[in-house]
Amino acid sequence: MDGKEVTLLKKALERQKKARRQAEMILEEKSQELYDTSRQLKDTNARLENLLSEKTSELEGVFINIVDPYLVMDINGQVIRMNAAAKQLLGYDHTKEPINLSQLVHPEYLEYTKESFKKLYEVGTLKNYRAKIVVKDKSIRFVQVNSSLIYDKDRNPIAAQGIIRDITKESEVEALLSEQKKQLDIIVENSPLGIVLTVNSKFIRANKAFANLLGYSESELKELTVNAISDPEDEEVSQELHEQMIQGKLENYSVIKRFIKKSGDTLTTKTSVSAVRDPEGKIAYEVAIVEDITKEKEAEEQIKASENRLATLISNLQTGVLLENEDRKISLTNQMFCDLFEIPVSPEQLKGADCSNAAEESKHHFKDPKAFVKRIDEILKSRKLVLSDELEMKDGRILERDYIPIYNNGVYKGHLWTYNDVTIRKNYKTNLENQKEKYWSIIANMNLGLIEVDNKDVIQLVNQSFCKMSGYSEKELLGQKASEILKVHEKNLIEEKGKERLKGKSDSYEVKVVTKSGQTNHWLLSGAPRYDETGKVVGSIGIHLDITAQKNLELQKEELLAELEESNKGLQEYAHIVSHDLKSPLRSISALATWLHDDYKDLLDDSGIYNLQMMQEKVEGMEKLIDGILKYSSIKSETLEKKPVDLNQVVSDIREIIFIPDHVSVIIMDPLPTLQADATKMHQLFQNLISNAVINIDKSEGIVSIGVTEKKDNWEFYVRDNGVGIPKEYHDKIFKIFQSIGSGERSTGIGLSIVKKIVDLYQGEIWLDSKVGEGTTFYFTLKK
């Protein structure tokens, strides 16, 4: 190692020693600062302890004389001192275990407590702080605290003191009263009866039911008096009762009272008024419960009217009525009864008359007088219901008599006699029997098969045609159960229809029947219930028509329809294939024409270029025609979707996709409805009509307006333009496919035929109103 290197090492060692001495000096300075700080903290802590000791001594006497729970806590809420009452309330002893007051506060009151303590530190006092705390035994207490800060000699807060009062019972009572008030308010407000509170006839409070009954708001009622809205005719009775209540003779009363509603109508009520008196016995206020009895009063009037109508009805009945009480005194009769028995007085004069000897007095009217009297005695003795008792009169009339005994809770109260002159009906019945015999021979030989069965399905009668249809003889069928001898495929259906007959229902239906020879035939069966003389269902009648030939034709028709459907599917597929095959050469022609134009436009004259453009237009027209045919052929009801379609949006979309010149405006005059329809078809419908209108406008300012009118069963739309118009002779022609008027270059003749087909699918109609030179309006309907 040479001298140069030694010199360098010595210098490096010297620098390290200097750095080390500097570090030691810094360390000594910091250690001294730390020591000084530690001593200052010890001195401060000693002063604080002395100060607290002094304050504790000062407060010692106070603790002895305070009865309420009292405690002292430091700034962080740690209890420093507490008296016996505080220990008993909280269950804690700070001398045995540390206690922090913030830990006792119920979670619901934490935020409120933080805000309150913040106020304590800012103001120095806290009055009437109320909170819910959880004491040591986990029970909940409501407390009220009044507290203040304790300061040192430099007015720095070092602790807080406070008196705690247990208000748990008070809080429970307040909560209970509050809950009861809420419940009472709910009952009053939701009562179906009107409830009002008045003082000296002034409204103090009214519930919703009363306000709704009269049509006033509660605030409006408070500006009124009871007398102001009462019917003046009721005031005398109400005032008299009210005076008695003021004098102490009544504590409450009820009255039928009419109020004048805000609308001016009269409300009839049952009003019950009760007095609430003060300690001196004077009326402090009155409570009224108001019940709307308008409907009850109307019902009473209707009952009275009904009784009058019933009396009038009985008086004018074409049936003789005689009502006797249990003593055989007449309670009610009518003019027809008097006429039937030639009684020369009015029904009113007969009321109260004794009928004990009436049979003897009137027996001379009857063909067999003795039998008449004897039968009446039998009926009155048995007191049982008798219907349709037949009586023959001497003059040839036939009467039908009913006897109806009247019982009330099992006690006999009299009886009702009714008499009907059935002479015409009896004669009619005799004639009917004759007619029945007359027409039976016709029924027996008609081409319709007739069968009668009883309620047990036993065959009672068949005609010759039914025997011929079934292959069985009359002898083989009579007395047999129809469901067993006749082999009907739809046995369950026959049983169901039999049950329907018992309910009195008639209907028609088809069945397949195997005849006696084994041949399967189709019958159309029309069934109806069969009644006896009393109207009771005793069986059913069936009329049968052999429709085998017609059913065979229907089967053939269904087969043809299935073949036609298959054929239509094939044609549809063929149309798509042909359209593709047709479009291919058209595209080729269009491309060749484009190439010719691009390659030879400099060599061709104007006529050649024009011809090439015409070729392009014809190709485009041919493509539109093919597309139109495909659209027309694809419109079928089977493919229709059904979802909400907003026609306003449809028109808006069409405005964006079709070419509309700047001078033409498309306007929706009325908001269009949202229909349950096929969105694509609605788009095609409106696009074709709007496009047709736009291209046929020749005015400098064109307007296409769209509107709608709602009808009972459909929507009626219109699309109106101010274009060239359509001559009358073309109005029917334009809706046919490949038919158009005007410039053939712009029209394929398919657009309006598509419109017509879509309208037909939605069971609508389309027509137009047009004047040449003025414009055209297309109207169409769509079924709702």
Side-chain angles (χ1 to χ4, degrees):
M1 181 180 299
D2 57 17
K4 189 177 181 180
E5 290 177 349
V6 171
T7 302
L8 290 173
L9 288 172
K10 285 180 179 181
K11 288 181 179 179
L13 182 61
E14 198 65 35
R15 283 195 300 272
Q16 287 180 356
K17 286 179 179 180
K18 287 181 180 180
R20 182 174 172 184
R21 281 196 298 270
Q22 289 176 350
E24 289 174 351
M25 289 174 64
I26 293 170
L27 184 58
E28 288 175 2
E29 290 175 3
K30 295 297 180 184
S31 297
Q32 184 63 41
E33 289 177 6
L34 183 60
Y35 175 76
D36 294 340
T37 301
S38 176
R39 288 195 62 182
Q40 289 175 2
L41 287 173
K42 286 180 180 180
D43 293 342
T44 301
N45 189 43
R47 287 197 301 271
L48 181 58
E49 286 179 355
N50 292 333
L51 183 60
L52 284 174
S53 178
E54 293 173 8
K55 292 296 181 182
T56 300
S57 298
E58 292 174 5
L59 295 172
E60 195 66 46
V62 178
F63 263 77
I64 295 170
N65 297 306
I66 293 178
V67 177
D68 288 327
Y70 176 85
L71 56 77
V72 179
M73 68 175 187
D74 65 17
I75 297 301
N76 298 317
Q78 196 71 29
V79 174
I80 301 171
R81 193 73 182 271
M82 59 196 303
N83 66 358
K87 292 175 183 178
Q88 183 178 357
L89 172 63
L90 302 181
Y92 292 97
D93 186 344
H94 71 290
T95 61
K96 297 179 181 179
E97 56 184 322
I99 174 173
N100 192 298
L101 291 183
S102 62
Q103 295 173 353
L104 305 184
V105 179
H106 193 277
E108 295 175 4
Y109 284 77
L110 283 176
E111 289 298 323
Y112 167 60
T113 301
K114 289 179 182 178
E115 293 295 323
S116 299
F117 272 59
K118 183 179 178 183
K119 182 179 179 182
L120 171 64
Y121 297 142
E122 291 175 355
V123 179
T125 60
L126 182 63
K127 294 183 178 180
N128 298 326
Y129 157 74
R130 292 191 173 197
K132 186 161 62 173
I133 64 173
V134 181
V135 297
K136 189 172 184 179
D137 63 2
K138 302 303 180 184
S139 62
I140 293 175
R141 291 281 187 274
F142 285 91
V143 296
Q144 179 175 300
V145 178
N146 288 294
S147 62
S148 61
L149 288 179
I150 298 172
Y151 300 92
D152 62 11
K153 63 180 182 180
D154 298 323
R155 293 299 297 169
N156 294 317
I158 58 173
Q161 62 179 349
I163 296 176
I164 305 173
R165 188 162 66 89
D166 186 354
I167 59 169
T168 303
K169 290 185 178 179
E170 294 177 19
S171 299
E172 289 174 352
V173 170
E174 287 178 4
L176 181 60
L177 289 173
S178 177
E179 184 62 27
Q180 289 177 343
K181 184 177 181 302
K182 287 180 183 177
Q183 291 173 357
L184 183 60
D185 287 342
I186 290 171
I187 292 170
V188 170
E189 286 304 317
N190 292 281
S191 172
L193 302 176
I195 301 175
V196 294
L197 187 69
T198 63
V199 174
N200 297 326
S201 293
K202 287 276 298 178
F203 289 103
I204 304 303
R205 186 175 177 186
N207 69 348
K208 289 180 182 177
F210 185 76
N212 292 337
L213 284 174
L214 296 183
Y216 290 100
S217 66
E218 188 175 355
S219 59
E220 288 174 328
L221 285 170
K222 288 181 179 179
E223 300 297 322
L224 300 171
T225 64
V226 176
N227 294 337
I229 60 171
S230 298
D231 192 310
E233 294 181 6
D234 300 332
E235 279 305 294
E236 186 176 347
V237 175
S238 298
Q239 191 63 36
E240 183 179 341
L241 292 169
H242 190 257
E243 283 295 328
Q244 292 182 30
M245 194 164 70
I246 291 174
Q247 295 168 12
K249 296 178 181 179
L250 294 174
E251 287 303 313
N252 53 66
Y253 64 85
S254 293
V255 65
I256 303 301
K257 188 176 182 65
R258 288 172 294 179
F259 289 101
I260 309 300
K261 298 167 70 173
K262 186 177 181 179
S263 62
D265 297 332
T266 301
L267 175 72
T268 304
T269 71
K270 178 183 178 183
T271 302
S272 300
V273 182
S274 299
V276 179
R277 301 183 185 274
D278 60 18
E280 297 177 358
K282 295 181 180 179
I283 295 177
Y285 51 86
E286 297 163 6
V287 178
I289 298 176
V290 181
E291 180 182 0
D292 182 1
I293 60 168
T294 305
K295 292 183 179 178
E296 286 82 347
K297 295 294 286 184
E298 290 175 354
E300 287 179 11
E301 293 174 1
Q302 288 174 0
I303 289 171
K304 289 180 182 178
S306 178
E307 289 174 351
N308 293 334
R309 285 196 298 271
L310 182 60
T312 304
L313 176 65
I314 291 173
S315 299
N316 294 282
L317 274 177
Q318 295 305 304
T319 297
V321 176
L322 176 64
L323 179 64
E324 299 177 15
N325 64 18
E326 63 269 30
D327 300 321
R328 294 212 63 193
K329 298 288 195 304
I330 295 177
S331 298
L332 177 70
T333 187
N334 67 351
Q335 188 61 46
M336 179 55 70
F337 178 80
C338 296
D339 294 343
L340 284 173
F341 295 101
E342 300 175 359
I343 300 172
V345 297
S346 68
E348 288 296 322
Q349 291 174 305
L350 286 176
K351 283 185 178 179
D354 192 346
C355 293
S356 301
N357 201 38
E360 287 290 337
E361 293 172 356
S362 59
K363 66 181 181 181
H364 63 278
H365 291 293
F366 298 93
K367 192 173 182 179
D368 188 346
K370 290 184 179 179
F372 169 73
V373 174
K374 182 181 178 182
R375 179 61 177 154
I376 283 185
D377 291 339
E378 289 174 356
I379 292 172
L380 291 174
K381 186 177 181 180
S382 65
R383 291 182 177 177
K384 292 182 179 179
L385 177 69
V386 177
L387 299 174
S388 303
D389 223 10
E390 200 169 280
L391 306 171
E392 289 188 60
M393 309 285 282
K394 271 187 179 179
D395 58 8
R397 289 180 296 156
I398 299 173
L399 301 184
E400 198 171 76
R401 175 179 62 190
D402 294 338
Y403 168 81
I404 305 169
I406 301 170
Y407 291 91
N408 185 8
N409 295 324
V411 178
Y412 176 73
K413 291 295 183 181
H415 51 263
L416 175 71
W417 298 99
T418 64
Y419 295 86
N420 283 299
D421 188 340
V422 295
T423 308
I424 296 174
R425 193 177 77 192
K426 290 296 290 184
N427 293 336
Y428 175 76
K429 187 175 181 181
T430 302
N431 292 333
L432 191 63
E433 290 293 332
N434 295 333
Q435 292 293 328
K436 183 178 179 181
E437 291 180 9
K438 176 181 177 181
Y439 289 108
W440 174 244
S441 60
I442 298 173
I443 294 171
N445 295 287
M446 67 183 179
N447 290 328
L448 296 173
L450 180 141
I451 183 173
E452 288 186 11
V453 297
D454 62 14
N455 287 336
K456 294 181 179 179
D457 198 34
V458 176
I459 299 172
Q460 305 293 309
L461 180 145
V462 291
N463 69 350
Q464 188 59 40
S465 293
F466 186 84
C467 295
K468 184 177 179 181
M469 289 170 62
S470 65
Y472 294 96
S473 66
E474 184 178 358
K475 186 177 180 181
E476 290 174 313
L477 291 171
L478 293 179
Q480 301 293 320
K481 290 194 73 170
S483 58
E484 292 178 357
I485 192 169
L486 299 172
K487 298 178 179 63
V488 181
H489 282 233
E490 299 84 354
K491 283 188 178 293
N492 293 335
L493 178 62
I494 296 295
E495 290 177 3
E496 290 175 9
K497 296 299 181 182
K499 294 176 182 177
E500 294 294 307
R501 300 293 169 265
L502 292 174
K503 298 176 183 177
K505 294 183 179 179
S506 304
D507 57 10
S508 298
Y509 52 94
E510 294 180 14
V511 293
K512 282 198 296 185
V513 182
V514 179
T515 64
K516 185 178 179 180
S517 63
Q519 182 179 348
T520 300
N521 287 344
H522 296 271
W523 291 357
L524 176 62
L525 196 160
S526 181
R530 186 164 62 91
Y531 301 94
D532 63 8
E533 291 81 2
T534 63
K536 182 181 177 182
V537 177
V538 293
S540 61
I541 302 172
I543 304 294
H544 302 72
L545 175 65
D546 192 330
I547 57 169
T548 306
Q550 291 92 320
K551 290 298 292 185
N552 290 336
L553 287 173
E554 283 183 13
L555 292 172
Q556 292 176 13
K557 178 183 175 182
E558 289 175 4
E559 290 175 2
L560 288 172
L561 286 173
E563 292 177 4
L564 182 61
E565 183 67 24
E566 195 64 32
S567 176
N568 283 339
K569 288 181 180 178
L571 287 172
Q572 188 72 20
E573 293 173 1
Y574 177 73
H576 281 84
I577 293 169
V578 169
S579 69
H580 179 270
D581 292 345
L582 285 173
K583 283 184 177 181
S584 243
L586 286 175
R587 292 192 188 100
S588 298
I589 294 170
S590 177
L592 289 171
T594 301
W595 295 344
L596 282 171
H597 178 271
D598 292 343
D599 294 342
Y600 297 101
K601 62 184 177 182
D602 295 333
L603 302 176
L604 293 171
D605 57 10
D606 292 342
S607 176
I609 291 173
Y610 175 76
N611 288 335
L612 286 174
Q613 290 174 344
M614 288 295 293
M615 185 186 300
Q616 287 280 35
E617 289 180 8
K618 296 297 182 183
V619 168
E620 289 175 5
M622 190 64 180
E623 282 192 350
K624 288 180 182 178
L625 183 60
I626 292 168
D627 288 337
I629 292 170
L630 277 176
K631 287 179 182 177
Y632 185 81
S633 65
S634 65
I635 298 173
K636 296 185 295 183
S637 61
E638 295 85 356
T639 60
L640 290 178
E641 291 184 354
K642 197 171 185 180
K643 61 182 181 181
V645 180
D646 184 354
L647 297 182
N648 300 283
Q649 187 61 44
V650 168
V651 173
S652 178
D653 293 343
I654 291 170
R655 284 198 194 105
E656 299 297 324
I657 62 173
I658 69 171
F659 172 70
I660 300 176
D662 294 339
H663 70 286
V664 176
S665 299
V666 177
I667 304 169
I668 297 176
M669 305 300 292
D670 309 301
L672 303 180
T674 296
L675 304 183
Q676 290 287 335
D678 187 295
T680 302
K681 297 298 182 285
M682 291 298 103
H683 198 283
Q684 286 179 315
L685 172 62
F686 279 90
Q687 181 172 336
N688 277 298
L689 287 172
I690 294 170
S691 298
N692 182 73
V694 168
I695 64 174
N696 285 292
I697 290 177
D698 58 347
K699 307 295 189 298
S700 59
E701 184 178 348
I703 297 175
V704 177
S705 55
I706 303 162
V708 65
T709 302
E710 184 175 2
K711 304 290 186 179
K712 181 180 179 182
D713 298 318
N714 55 46
W715 296 95
E716 183 180 297
F717 299 88
Y718 69 82
V719 177
R720 180 178 294 125
D721 65 68
N722 61 340
V724 296
I726 300 173
K728 184 73 175 178
E729 60 269 23
Y730 293 106
H731 286 193
D732 294 329
K733 174 184 174 183
I734 58 174
F735 293 114
K736 297 177 182 178
I737 193 168
F738 303 133
Q739 300 292 321
S740 65
I741 60 173
S743 174
E745 303 299 326
R746 296 184 296 173
S747 175
T748 62
I750 295 176
L752 290 177
S753 60
I754 289 174
V755 168
K756 177 71 166 61
K757 196 168 183 180
I758 294 172
V759 169
D760 289 344
L761 281 177
Y762 286 92
Q763 303 177 40
E765 297 180 1
I766 186 166
W767 67 97
L768 70 150
D769 182 17
S770 180
K771 288 186 180 180
V772 176
E774 294 184 11
T776 303
T777 302
F778 281 92
Y779 297 94
F780 63 93
T781 62
L782 298 177
K783 189 174 181 180
K784 286 186 179 178

